[in-house]
mmCIF file of all heavy atoms in Angstrom:
data_model
loop_
_atom_site.group_PDB
_atom_site.id
_atom_site.type_symbol
_atom_site.label_atom_id
_atom_site.label_comp_id
_atom_site.label_asym_id
_atom_site.label_seq_id
_atom_site.Cartn_x
_atom_site.Cartn_y
_atom_site.Cartn_z
ATOM 1 N N ASP A 1536 21.340 31.871 -6.337
ATOM 2 C CA ASP A 1536 22.349 30.833 -6.180
ATOM 3 C C ASP A 1536 22.661 30.193 -7.520
ATOM 4 O O ASP A 1536 21.737 29.802 -8.272
ATOM 5 C CB ASP A 1536 21.843 29.769 -5.193
ATOM 6 C CG ASP A 1536 22.892 28.729 -4.910
ATOM 7 O OD1 ASP A 1536 22.956 27.733 -5.676
ATOM 8 O OD2 ASP A 1536 23.645 28.894 -3.946
ATOM 9 N N ALA A 1537 23.937 30.040 -7.825
ATOM 10 C CA ALA A 1537 24.376 29.534 -9.118
ATOM 11 C C ALA A 1537 23.793 28.140 -9.442
ATOM 12 O O ALA A 1537 23.452 27.877 -10.591
ATOM 13 C CB ALA A 1537 25.896 29.482 -9.171
ATOM 14 N N TYR A 1538 23.714 27.272 -8.454
ATOM 15 C CA TYR A 1538 23.216 25.917 -8.705
ATOM 16 C C TYR A 1538 21.711 25.787 -8.591
ATOM 17 O O TYR A 1538 21.074 25.123 -9.400
ATOM 18 C CB TYR A 1538 23.946 24.909 -7.804
ATOM 19 C CG TYR A 1538 25.437 24.840 -8.065
ATOM 20 C CD1 TYR A 1538 26.324 24.990 -7.029
ATOM 21 C CD2 TYR A 1538 25.931 24.657 -9.368
ATOM 22 C CE1 TYR A 1538 27.704 24.944 -7.278
ATOM 23 C CE2 TYR A 1538 27.291 24.595 -9.607
ATOM 24 C CZ TYR A 1538 28.168 24.744 -8.549
ATOM 25 O OH TYR A 1538 29.523 24.694 -8.793
ATOM 26 N N TRP A 1539 21.130 26.379 -7.557
ATOM 27 C CA TRP A 1539 19.680 26.292 -7.383
ATOM 28 C C TRP A 1539 18.946 26.958 -8.552
ATOM 29 O O TRP A 1539 17.849 26.531 -8.929
ATOM 30 C CB TRP A 1539 19.236 26.948 -6.070
ATOM 31 C CG TRP A 1539 19.535 26.125 -4.850
ATOM 32 C CD1 TRP A 1539 20.549 26.335 -3.959
ATOM 33 C CD2 TRP A 1539 18.846 24.953 -4.401
ATOM 34 N NE1 TRP A 1539 20.516 25.381 -2.963
ATOM 35 C CE2 TRP A 1539 19.472 24.521 -3.220
ATOM 36 C CE3 TRP A 1539 17.751 24.246 -4.872
ATOM 37 C CZ2 TRP A 1539 19.045 23.421 -2.506
ATOM 38 C CZ3 TRP A 1539 17.316 23.136 -4.164
ATOM 39 C CH2 TRP A 1539 17.976 22.717 -2.979
ATOM 40 N N SER A 1540 19.516 28.012 -9.117
ATOM 41 C CA SER A 1540 18.834 28.743 -10.179
ATOM 42 C C SER A 1540 18.611 27.901 -11.432
ATOM 43 O O SER A 1540 17.819 28.281 -12.299
ATOM 44 C CB SER A 1540 19.611 29.995 -10.515
ATOM 45 O OG SER A 1540 20.891 29.685 -11.029
ATOM 46 N N ALA A 1541 19.252 26.759 -11.558
ATOM 47 C CA ALA A 1541 19.070 25.886 -12.727
ATOM 48 C C ALA A 1541 17.724 25.163 -12.682
ATOM 49 O O ALA A 1541 17.292 24.578 -13.680
ATOM 50 C CB ALA A 1541 20.194 24.872 -12.784
ATOM 51 N N PHE A 1542 17.043 25.202 -11.531
ATOM 52 C CA PHE A 1542 15.776 24.493 -11.379
ATOM 53 C C PHE A 1542 14.597 25.431 -11.441
ATOM 54 O O PHE A 1542 14.743 26.644 -11.231
ATOM 55 C CB PHE A 1542 15.768 23.740 -10.040
ATOM 56 C CG PHE A 1542 16.885 22.756 -9.913
ATOM 57 C CD1 PHE A 1542 17.979 23.025 -9.113
ATOM 58 C CD2 PHE A 1542 16.874 21.554 -10.620
ATOM 59 C CE1 PHE A 1542 19.032 22.122 -8.996
ATOM 60 C CE2 PHE A 1542 17.915 20.654 -10.534
ATOM 61 C CZ PHE A 1542 19.001 20.920 -9.700
ATOM 62 N N SER A 1543 13.436 24.890 -11.644
ATOM 63 C CA SER A 1543 12.199 25.658 -11.567
ATOM 64 C C SER A 1543 11.905 25.872 -10.068
ATOM 65 O O SER A 1543 11.774 24.905 -9.327
ATOM 66 C CB SER A 1543 11.056 24.885 -12.221
ATOM 67 O OG SER A 1543 9.836 25.534 -12.009
ATOM 68 N N ILE A 1544 11.851 27.126 -9.633
ATOM 69 C CA ILE A 1544 11.667 27.441 -8.220
ATOM 70 C C ILE A 1544 10.303 28.083 -8.028
ATOM 71 O O ILE A 1544 9.975 29.071 -8.680
ATOM 72 C CB ILE A 1544 12.789 28.381 -7.720
ATOM 73 C CG1 ILE A 1544 14.142 27.666 -7.870
ATOM 74 C CG2 ILE A 1544 12.543 28.779 -6.267
ATOM 75 C CD1 ILE A 1544 15.331 28.548 -7.653
ATOM 76 N N VAL A 1545 9.521 27.531 -7.092
ATOM 77 C CA VAL A 1545 8.176 28.011 -6.820
ATOM 78 C C VAL A 1545 8.087 28.341 -5.346
ATOM 79 O O VAL A 1545 8.366 27.478 -4.498
ATOM 80 C CB VAL A 1545 7.133 26.931 -7.183
ATOM 81 C CG1 VAL A 1545 5.724 27.447 -6.940
ATOM 82 C CG2 VAL A 1545 7.310 26.446 -8.607
ATOM 83 N N ASP A 1546 7.720 29.576 -5.006
ATOM 84 C CA ASP A 1546 7.579 29.910 -3.576
ATOM 85 C C ASP A 1546 6.114 29.703 -3.159
ATOM 86 O O ASP A 1546 5.339 30.610 -3.062
ATOM 87 C CB ASP A 1546 8.090 31.321 -3.264
ATOM 88 C CG ASP A 1546 7.338 32.415 -3.947
ATOM 89 O OD1 ASP A 1546 6.565 32.123 -4.881
ATOM 90 O OD2 ASP A 1546 7.521 33.571 -3.545
ATOM 91 N N ASP A 1547 5.784 28.442 -2.890
ATOM 92 C CA ASP A 1547 4.422 28.067 -2.563
ATOM 93 C C ASP A 1547 4.243 27.387 -1.214
ATOM 94 O O ASP A 1547 3.173 26.865 -0.907
ATOM 95 C CB ASP A 1547 3.834 27.177 -3.672
ATOM 96 C CG ASP A 1547 4.593 25.859 -3.840
ATOM 97 O OD1 ASP A 1547 5.666 25.676 -3.197
ATOM 98 O OD2 ASP A 1547 4.119 25.017 -4.633
#
Side-chain angles (χ1 to χ4, degrees):
D1536 184 273
Y1538 297 128
W1539 285 104
S1540 64
F1542 301 105
S1543 173
I1544 299 170
V1545 182
D1546 63 347
D1547 61 353

